[in-house]
Amino acid sequence: MAKSTREITAMEVRATEKNRIRYSTNHVTQLPPGTITEFDWKDYCPLGFRLVQELEGIEHDDYVHSICTDETLQKLSSEKIGKVFHISNDNRFLIKILRKSEIKVTLEMLPGYYSHINKYRSSLFTRIYGVHALKPVGGVKTYFAVMSNMLHSMVFMNKLYDLKGSPKGRTNKKIEVRNTTVLKDIDLDFCFYVDPLARQRIIKQTKLDCELLEEEGIMDYSLLVGLQAQESCPGSLHGLNPVYGSFTPPCSFKSDSTKSIKTALNSPDRSFVTMNPFSPDRDSVESEKPKSIQSVASNSTSSKTNQINSKSILAATLNDLFHNSSSINFGMKIPARARRVTRETGEEEWYDVLLYIGIVDTFQDYGMKKRIEHCYKSIQHNSNSISTVHPKIYSSRFQDFVSNIFLPHGDDRSL
C-alpha cells in the first residue's frame, strides 16, 4: 500500500457515529426469554481509523463483519475491564476492553500514530484499527479497541512474554491467550541472539516508536514476545527442546544454508526468511561448516570465497528485509537462537526459535493517577525501577531493555 499524504484532523478525532445493532435471528431464538438482544454501537473517529484500515489493506466491510458477530457481542457485553484480549472468530483481530480514559488517550494520539505508521511501515506497533463502545439497551457501556492479531491460531507459541523492562510488580495477574500463559519480566530467563542486521533494525525501530510514545506522553506499554520453537516436539520447557546444553558445545548448524538463502530470496513473504540457525560462538561455528557449504566449496578454487559469497547473499537479503520501508510484517518470524540459563543449576540451554515481537498496550498516559501511583511505589522501590515512571524515563529504560535481550550472534555476554 502506497504511503498517504492525508492527515487526521482534530475535527475528525472528535467525530463519532452511532448505530443500533442486534443479535442475528438464529441466535435470538436460542436465548432465554427476556435476554437483551439489541445494542447501541458507537464508533470513535470513524474516518481516522478508516485511514488506518486502508493503510494496512483492511477492507472496512470485512472489518465490521469480523467484529460484529453474535459471539463477540455477547463476550463484550458481559466481560469486565482487564479481561485482556478477545479474538475475533476469523482470528484476524484482537479485541481489548479499555477504560474510557484509555479511549481518550488513544484518540488524542491517533493523528501522530497514523502519521508514524504511514512514514515507518515497519513500525513494531500493534496496529489499532478502531475504538468503539457497546451498550446493551438499558445496560452498561463497554469500551474496546480492535487491533492486529499477532497471536494467530495458525502460529503456536511455545512461550509468550509481556515485557515492560522492569520486574517490579510484574508477577501478579497471569493471563492466558489460546491456552498459553502470558509471562512477565520476572519470568524471563532468555536472551536472544539474532543476526546483527536484524538486531540493528529492531533497536532502530524501537527507538523511532518510543520517540513517538514519549512525544505523546505515553508510558506503561509492553513488548510482546512470542517464541515458536523450530523442529519442536514434546520435551522440556513446554515443547522447546535444547539444541545443545552447556556440556555440548555449539559446533554445527542444523539447516542447509544454500536452501535457506534460496528460500529467503524466492519467498513472496519477505518476512518469512528461513535462515540457518546460528551459534553465538563464532569460533565453534567456523570449526564445522554445514555439509551444503562444504560441497559447494569443493567445487570452487577457494572455500573461503564461497563462504564470503554466501554470507554476502544472505546479508543482502537481510538488508532488504530489515531496511525496506514497506515491510509491514517486520517483527514476525525473526530467526534466533534463544539462550536460557536454568535458575536451579545455572546450566545453559540453547533453542532454535522464531520470534514474534510487537509493541502493545499504548493506551496509558502519565496522568494524575499514574503520578500518584509513581509517588506511592517510589516509597517502596527505587523510583527508576518501577513501571510507573515519566514517559521519557520509561522510553529510555524500554530501549535499553530491548538492546539487552536481543544480542548479535557472536556476543557471549552473560544474562
Side-chain angles (χ1 to χ4, degrees):
M1 180 72 67
K3 292 183 179 180
S4 171
T5 58
R6 175 81 149 76
E7 294 183 353
I8 298 175
T9 67
M11 183 176 294
E12 288 173 334
V13 170
R14 294 191 297 269
T16 60
E17 286 183 2
K18 296 180 180 180
N19 292 284
R20 176 66 64 86
I21 60 176
R22 68 191 307 272
Y23 286 133
S24 66
T25 303
N26 290 338
H27 187 70
V28 169
T29 58
Q30 301 173 14
L31 296 174
T35 301
I36 296 174
T37 61
E38 293 190 343
F39 304 84
D40 292 323
W41 180 283
K42 187 175 184 178
D43 298 322
Y44 292 91
C45 191
L47 292 180
F49 283 110
R50 187 77 65 89
L51 289 175
V52 176
Q53 295 168 21
E54 291 176 357
L55 185 65
E56 301 299 320
I58 303 294
E59 292 290 338
H60 183 68
D61 289 344
D62 292 341
Y63 170 82
V64 173
H65 182 75
S66 293
I67 65 174
C68 289
T69 63
D70 292 337
E71 183 178 349
T72 302
L73 293 176
Q74 188 172 17
K75 286 181 177 180
L76 289 174
S77 61
S78 61
E79 297 291 358
K80 298 179 180 180
I81 293 173
K83 183 58 180 177
V84 193
F85 297 121
H86 296 298
I87 299 177
S88 62
N89 291 347
D90 59 4
N91 293 304
R92 295 183 66 187
F93 305 111
L94 262 67
I95 302 171
K96 183 175 183 180
I97 297 177
L98 302 176
R99 296 177 176 86
K100 185 176 182 179
S101 60
E102 293 174 320
I103 294 290
K104 182 175 181 290
V105 169
T106 304
L107 293 174
E108 290 176 348
M109 184 181 72
L110 183 58
Y113 168 83
Y114 173 70
S115 296
H116 182 84
I117 62 173
N118 187 27
K119 180 178 181 180
Y120 302 109
R121 300 296 292 123
S122 57
S123 170
L124 290 171
F125 288 141
T126 297
R127 301 301 193 259
I128 304 174
Y129 297 132
V131 290
H132 312 275
L134 182 71
K135 181 179 178 293
V137 174
V140 178
K141 185 179 291 186
T142 299
Y143 301 92
F144 63 97
V146 180
M147 301 168 287
S148 55
N149 180 18
M150 62 177 285
L151 306 175
H152 198 280
S153 61
M154 296 297 290
V155 178
F156 173 74
M157 299 291 184
N158 298 86
K159 291 280 187 178
L160 188 60
Y161 293 92
D162 180 285
L163 306 171
K164 293 183 182 295
S166 170
K168 301 299 183 183
R170 297 287 291 152
T171 58
N172 299 325
K173 298 181 180 179
K174 294 282 180 64
I175 61 169
E176 287 193 1
V177 178
R178 296 197 181 282
N179 299 319
T180 299
T181 300
V182 181
L183 304 172
K184 304 293 182 67
D185 295 67
I186 195 68
D187 305 305
L188 182 66
D189 52 3
F190 285 101
C191 62
F192 308 103
Y193 291 87
V194 298
D195 187 273
L197 284 174
R199 180 178 186 269
Q200 178 185 355
R201 193 67 186 94
I202 291 170
I203 292 175
K204 178 181 178 182
Q205 191 58 59
T206 299
K207 181 177 185 295
L208 292 170
D209 292 341
C210 284
E211 285 175 350
L212 172 71
L213 297 174
E214 186 179 328
E215 181 181 336
E216 296 289 343
I218 306 297
M219 42 76 68
D220 212 26
Y221 43 90
S222 303
L223 184 73
L224 193 64
V225 179
L227 276 68
Q228 182 186 38
Q230 298 194 67
E231 303 178 6
S232 66
C233 59
S236 64
L237 201 59
H238 303 287
L240 265 70
N241 300 290
V243 177
Y244 47 83
S246 57
F247 299 105
T248 306
C251 60
S252 66
F253 293 113
K254 295 177 71 66
S255 301
D256 187 308
S257 297
T258 304
K259 181 180 179 181
S260 299
I261 294 171
K262 183 177 180 181
T263 301
L265 290 172
N266 295 335
S267 173
D269 179 2
R270 303 303 294 273
S271 68
F272 184 49
V273 181
T274 313
M275 296 195 306
N276 53 287
F278 40 70
S279 163
D281 188 338
R282 286 179 178 172
D283 294 333
S284 298
V285 170
E286 292 298 324
S287 68
E288 182 177 337
K289 298 297 180 183
K291 293 181 179 180
S292 60
I293 295 294
Q294 291 175 347
S295 63
V296 172
S298 65
N299 294 325
S300 67
T301 58
S302 171
S303 61
K304 180 178 288 188
T305 300
N306 276 274
Q307 293 166 15
I308 292 174
N309 289 340
S310 296
K311 290 179 181 178
S312 297
I313 295 172
L314 183 56
T317 302
L318 288 168
N319 184 68
D320 178 65
L321 172 67
F322 294 114
H323 294 274
N324 186 348
S325 62
S326 64
S327 178
I328 62 174
N329 290 322
F330 179 68
M332 302 293 103
K333 304 176 184 175
I334 298 176
R337 274 281 173 96
R339 175 178 181 250
R340 177 177 184 259
V341 176
T342 57
R343 292 174 178 172
E344 295 79 8
T345 64
E347 295 180 358
E348 293 183 2
E349 294 176 345
W350 294 85
Y351 305 86
D352 286 320
V353 299
L354 292 177
L355 298 177
Y356 295 75
I357 64 175
I359 296 176
V360 300
D361 287 345
T362 56
F363 305 113
Q364 183 64 59
D365 66 351
Y366 195 58
M368 184 56 67
K369 179 180 178 181
K370 287 297 180 181
R371 292 172 190 269
I372 295 174
E373 183 180 339
H374 171 79
C375 293
Y376 173 74
K377 289 185 176 180
S378 295
I379 298 173
Q380 301 173 307
H381 308 285
N382 182 300
S383 60
N384 290 329
S385 68
I386 58 180
S387 61
T388 309
V389 293
H390 188 278
K392 186 176 182 63
I393 298 175
Y394 195 98
S395 170
S396 177
R397 185 178 66 194
F398 189 84
Q399 293 177 59
D400 289 342
F401 174 73
V402 169
S403 66
N404 285 329
I405 64 169
F406 296 107
L407 305 174
H409 68 84
D411 187 342
D412 59 354
R413 76 178 78 170
S414 299
L415 284 173

